[in-house]
Amino acid sequence: MELGISEKVLHYESFVNDVLKEDLKKVHTRYEELNSEIAEYIQLKNFIQSISDVGVSGGVKTKMDLGCSFYVQANISDTSTILVAVGLGHYIEFTMEEALTFVEKRVNLLTLQTEKLKKDSAKTKAMIKLVLGGLQQLQSTKSNKSR
Amino acid sequence: MEANIRLKTLSDDPTDLKLLLQQTHDEALQKNEYATKHWLKLRDEHMSLHSHLGILPDKLSHDVMVPIGSKALMRGKMVHTNEILVCLGDGWFVKRSAKEAAEICDRRIKLCDNMLKDLEREHNLLLTRKELPLERDAFGAETRREILEPYDEKTEAEWRVQHRQKEKEYRQKLTELRNKEKTKIDDEESLWKRLDELELQEELEEELDRFHADREDMEYDENSELDTDTDEESDAIENYDAEYLLLREQIRGANGLVKQDIAMPEHAVLTEQHESRNGSKPQAQSISSVSPARRVSFADDRTADINEGSDSDSSAECLRIEFQHTPVESGAKESTKSDGHPIQTPANIHEYIKELMAKNGIPKSILKNKSTDQVSRGNTGPHRMQWLQQPDSIPIITQEMEEPLWNTAELQPVEELDERPVVFGCVHEHSSEEPLLPPEQPIPTRPVSRFKAARLAAKR
């Protein structure tokens, strides 16, 4: 019997370590990814807002990254349209207003996702605590018995 | 960190150790792999950038989609294509032309290559470190036990004492045995006999060596000598004293008959020329063949020089042969030239030797430098002087065969004669009957042992 209990303790511990904690890690990484995406969309939103606010007519001068932080000057003459990534490597050409609404919607969606992930992480954390608590109880009873 | 914690809780169990080693190495290898991936990626990026930089200045402007952040693009134009702002790191930028930027790119690619090479070496090192203990079985296996030798000072000390005692016993036994053996030859007569035997054996061996060396040096027929020698060997123990005296005489003979070889060619030619053998040469041969004790050995050319020096001193005894060829003989020489042998006539001898002299400076001996010869050469001088005073040791050439030579010589002026060929060296020989040296004279080549001297004195 004693052996069975200690074996079970081992099983639970391995479950906590190998399954629950791994899940938590995954959730966290996904959460961080989404957050960075949200930040990028917000940045884009700001860019679009500023362009429409200023109302550039002569075009925009920017520095374009060739890769490995080698920059070349690039001129954007047409500021009426913008291509926005919609996912899976696809871009859709929007006018500025359309792009703004799209970005806002996307940001909302992403925040919803993050909320869900937050809940998930909280759940897994609770499960881990539960299992650990149960293990503690088991071991304490065991020690009591041995006393 | 994890590894450190494990180290603290580590047991000495080899399987645990093995596991730990494997784990740490695996971690290191994984890190190495990540780094390699990173640098490979960087290298690839720089490679593609380099190709872009090559194309970029071809056109004044390019139509491109300009990225706005990572999520958006805008239609635009790339301008100032030969003006590239390069980030040097830490927020520092430098404006370069496309070509210069490409050079920077090259350098960075080289850096990546070096890094990758180092990483590969690290990888190999880690791999060998990981594998070697397994290959060499550093941790051992459960089926094989470690060999343990207990060391206890007390028992060691006891053993040493015992060992010493046993050694002592062994020594005692050994000495007893030896004493027994000694008593066996305690009889003085047998002891003397034994010692004699030993000495005789030594001498025989030496002599045999010398005979063998002689046979190798010159193709000289000594079969009869050797035969008698082996006979002597068989009954050597009986006639030890006779053998000893014989040996001494032989050595003396070797000293006495030194010049035979060098004088030989001239001698042969002379006899040929006059078609009259003076008998001295066959006599020498008969000596060597008839009496086995006689030996003929040959001295070096150095002794020939000494001889010439001493010749001038004792010109009365030693005859110098100087001769001049007649025109008829020179013609004959030319006719016989076709034989191939360098020496056909005495004139040829001179030319031949002159050639040799020009080639080597000093004529080289064809004989081996033997230690016995070297020793004997040391005391040829005084011996030779003695032989010169003896009437029988005068060179071979007789009066009647010299006369025609003198006749030809008279035709030439004396100064020229001195430059004319002189017969090199002298031929000396002596008969076996006459005693050359007083037998009491000690021979330096064979020092008599003190023991033997004492014995000989006792016998007398």
Side-chain angles (χ1 to χ4, degrees):
Chain A
M1 201 57 198
E2 290 271 306
L3 257 170
I5 283 173
S6 61
E7 263 177 24
K8 281 225 165 113
V9 167
L10 209 71
H11 267 290
Y12 278 118
E13 269 181 357
S14 65
F15 177 71
V16 167
N17 281 328
D18 296 346
V19 180
L20 293 178
K21 282 195 177 170
E22 287 297 311
D23 277 358
L24 198 64
K25 223 184 258 175
K26 264 187 211 163
V27 168
H28 272 279
T29 48
R30 178 78 189 125
Y31 182 73
E32 267 160 31
E33 272 175 31
L34 285 174
N35 265 341
S36 65
E37 220 171 312
I38 288 167
E40 271 166 23
Y41 274 115
I42 286 169
Q43 234 182 350
L44 183 63
K45 198 175 102 182
N46 288 338
F47 174 75
I48 291 163
Q49 271 175 345
S50 61
I51 277 183
S52 51
D53 280 355
V54 175
V56 248
S57 50
V60 184
K61 274 191 200 172
T62 64
K63 289 288 179 189
M64 181 189 159
D65 194 355
L66 290 171
C68 312
S69 44
F70 280 51
Y71 293 93
V72 183
Q73 191 176 328
N75 288 352
I76 302 161
S77 45
D78 180 19
T79 52
S80 59
T81 56
I82 186 167
L83 288 102
V84 182
V86 291
L88 298 171
H90 288 275
Y91 289 81
I92 293 174
E93 193 166 7
F94 291 116
T95 58
M96 283 301 175
E97 293 80 41
E98 285 168 340
L100 203 61
T101 50
F102 172 79
V103 167
E104 273 171 3
K105 275 191 178 174
R106 179 45 72 94
V107 168
N108 282 338
L109 184 76
L110 288 175
T111 40
L112 271 175
Q113 277 185 354
T114 53
E115 289 296 319
K116 195 181 167 265
L117 280 175
K118 260 187 199 168
K119 271 184 191 171
D120 274 1
S121 80
K123 258 187 194 171
T124 42
K125 270 181 191 167
M127 277 156 96
I128 288 165
K129 281 225 165 157
L130 185 73
V131 172
L132 285 177
L135 282 174
Q136 214 169 15
Q137 269 190 346
L138 256 174
Q139 276 166 331
S140 66
T141 51
K142 210 171 79 181
S143 54
N144 279 340
K145 267 182 188 173
S146 63
R147 264 177 221 164
Chain B
M1 194 61 208
E2 251 179 284
N4 281 344
I5 290 161
R6 263 192 224 114
L7 267 173
K8 276 171 195 166
T9 60
L10 188 72
S11 67
D12 279 337
D13 190 17
T15 49
D16 275 3
L17 276 171
K18 198 162 141 188
L19 211 71
L20 179 67
L21 190 80
Q22 294 303 307
Q23 263 176 350
T24 44
H25 279 139
D26 279 342
E27 274 164 31
L29 277 169
Q30 214 165 23
K31 250 186 225 172
N32 178 273
E33 207 177 313
Y34 281 141
T36 313
K37 264 185 193 165
H38 169 250
W39 284 103
L40 264 176
K41 198 178 145 203
L42 211 65
R43 189 172 170 275
D44 284 348
E45 275 174 15
H46 275 95
M47 291 286 256
S48 64
L49 178 64
H50 190 265
S51 64
H52 288 323
L53 283 170
I55 305 161
L56 209 60
D58 290 353
K59 276 204 281 182
L60 211 62
S61 68
H62 296 267
D63 284 326
V64 286
M65 303 297 281
V66 183
I68 310 290
S70 61
K71 291 288 167 196
L73 300 167
M74 284 181 97
R75 291 176 198 286
K77 264 191 177 176
M78 205 186 276
V79 291
H80 301 303
T81 50
N82 204 20
E83 236 176 63
I84 291 153
L85 207 63
V86 180
C87 179
L88 299 175
D90 203 23
W92 288 89
F93 289 86
V94 63
K95 208 174 213 173
R96 308 257 77 185
S97 73
K99 199 186 163 193
E100 285 167 333
E103 279 167 14
I104 291 172
C105 209
D106 270 338
R107 284 196 284 279
R108 287 193 185 173
I109 286 168
K110 214 175 268 176
L111 182 90
C112 284
D113 282 340
N114 284 338
M115 215 62 186
L116 283 168
K117 225 180 263 172
D118 287 352
L119 279 167
E120 201 188 327
R121 269 167 52 201
E122 195 192 52
H123 178 82
N124 287 336
L125 177 77
L126 286 169
L127 214 65
T128 47
R129 272 192 194 166
K130 192 186 158 190
E131 308 260 305
L132 198 73
L134 293 180
E135 279 173 21
R136 300 283 158 175
D137 207 24
F139 296 102
E142 282 177 21
T143 51
R144 278 160 287 168
R145 299 277 313 199
E146 208 170 337
I147 297 164
L148 293 173
E149 284 193 45
Y151 179 80
D152 190 10
E153 280 186 24
K154 233 180 173 181
T155 50
E156 285 290 311
E158 269 176 39
W159 180 83
R160 228 169 273 154
V161 170
Q162 276 182 0
H163 180 70
R164 213 166 284 159
Q165 215 165 356
K166 274 181 186 170
E167 223 172 329
K168 228 183 243 171
E169 282 171 23
Y170 171 72
R171 287 267 157 76
Q172 272 178 354
K173 271 184 191 171
L174 212 68
T175 46
E176 275 172 31
L177 251 164
R178 229 176 253 162
N179 285 335
K180 266 184 197 170
E181 272 181 21
K182 262 186 189 171
T183 49
K184 267 183 190 170
I185 14 169
D186 214 20
D187 172 30
E188 196 174 324
E189 197 56 33
S190 60
L191 180 68
W192 284 122
K193 218 175 192 175
R194 173 81 185 132
L195 285 167
D196 278 352
E197 269 173 33
L198 285 172
E199 203 151 347
L200 190 63
Q201 200 181 339
E202 196 182 290
E203 266 168 17
L204 275 170
E205 273 167 13
E206 257 175 61
E207 202 175 355
L208 257 177
D209 282 348
R210 220 171 42 214
F211 276 137
H212 285 308
D214 278 354
R215 206 160 41 158
E216 280 165 26
D217 280 357
M218 44 186 169
E219 285 146 16
Y220 186 74
D221 189 20
E222 282 186 327
N223 282 338
S224 57
E225 264 184 317
L226 279 172
D227 286 345
T228 51
D229 214 48
T230 45
D231 289 345
E232 280 162 14
E233 226 173 28
S234 59
D235 53 7
I237 300 160
E238 282 91 352
N239 54 9
Y240 149 72
D241 272 331
E243 174 73 21
Y244 173 63
L245 286 171
L246 211 65
L247 199 74
R248 282 226 306 206
E249 217 171 314
Q250 274 174 17
I251 292 151
R252 221 177 298 133
N255 289 341
L257 276 176
V258 276
K259 292 289 319 143
Q260 196 96 359
D261 183 49
I262 290 168
M264 205 62 101
E266 291 99 326
H267 176 199
V269 171
L270 278 170
T271 48
E272 222 175 82
Q273 202 178 350
H274 297 281
E275 307 220 307
S276 65
R277 303 199 136 220
N278 59 7
S280 61
K281 196 184 154 198
Q283 193 190 338
Q285 280 175 343
S286 68
I287 286 163
S288 59
S289 58
V290 166
S291 68
R294 294 228 54 83
R295 283 181 80 256
V296 180
S297 71
F298 308 94
D300 248 1
D301 44 82
R302 242 181 284 174
T303 47
D305 296 339
I306 298 162
N307 287 345
E308 271 175 359
S310 58
D311 281 350
S312 60
D313 294 336
S314 58
S315 52
E317 266 92 3
C318 188
L319 286 174
R320 183 183 280 183
I321 307 163
E322 293 165 348
F323 56 86
Q324 176 73 30
H325 293 291
T326 56
V328 184
E329 279 171 346
S330 67
K333 174 188 79 186
E334 273 164 26
S335 66
T336 53
K337 236 177 187 175
S338 55
D339 281 30
H341 197 271
I343 299 163
Q344 301 287 342
T345 61
N348 286 350
I349 295 164
H350 174 238
E351 276 160 28
Y352 182 61
I353 299 222
K354 217 176 180 181
E355 240 176 52
L356 271 180
M357 294 277 253
K359 256 189 224 166
N360 305 337
I362 17 163
K364 207 182 155 192
S365 167
I366 54 160
L367 297 175
K368 240 185 196 172
N369 266 341
K370 276 203 305 176
S371 56
T372 49
D373 278 1
Q374 280 170 351
V375 176
S376 66
R377 195 193 306 145
N379 46 336
T380 32
H383 289 225
R384 241 193 56 73
M385 289 303 285
Q386 282 174 333
W387 301 326
L388 285 172
Q389 279 145 25
Q390 287 159 5
D392 280 17
S393 65
I394 289 168
I396 331 132
I397 300 100
T398 53
Q399 209 62 30
E400 77 253 41
M401 75 189 241
E402 277 164 28
E403 271 178 66
L405 289 176
W406 284 120
N407 289 341
T408 52
E410 272 164 15
L411 299 173
Q412 299 293 324
V414 187
E415 294 86 69
E416 252 181 71
L417 264 179
D418 285 341
E419 292 164 19
R420 285 286 144 195
V422 172
V423 175
F424 285 84
C426 273
V427 184
H428 299 283
E429 55 126 338
H430 58 90
S431 57
S432 57
E433 291 88 45
E434 57 179 7
L436 291 168
L437 290 169
E440 284 79 28
Q441 189 167 332
I443 295 142
T445 49
R446 313 204 109 263
V448 181
S449 71
R450 195 177 291 172
F451 156 69
K452 186 188 266 177
R455 189 145 159 68
L456 283 171
K459 270 197 174 176
R460 267 175 218 151

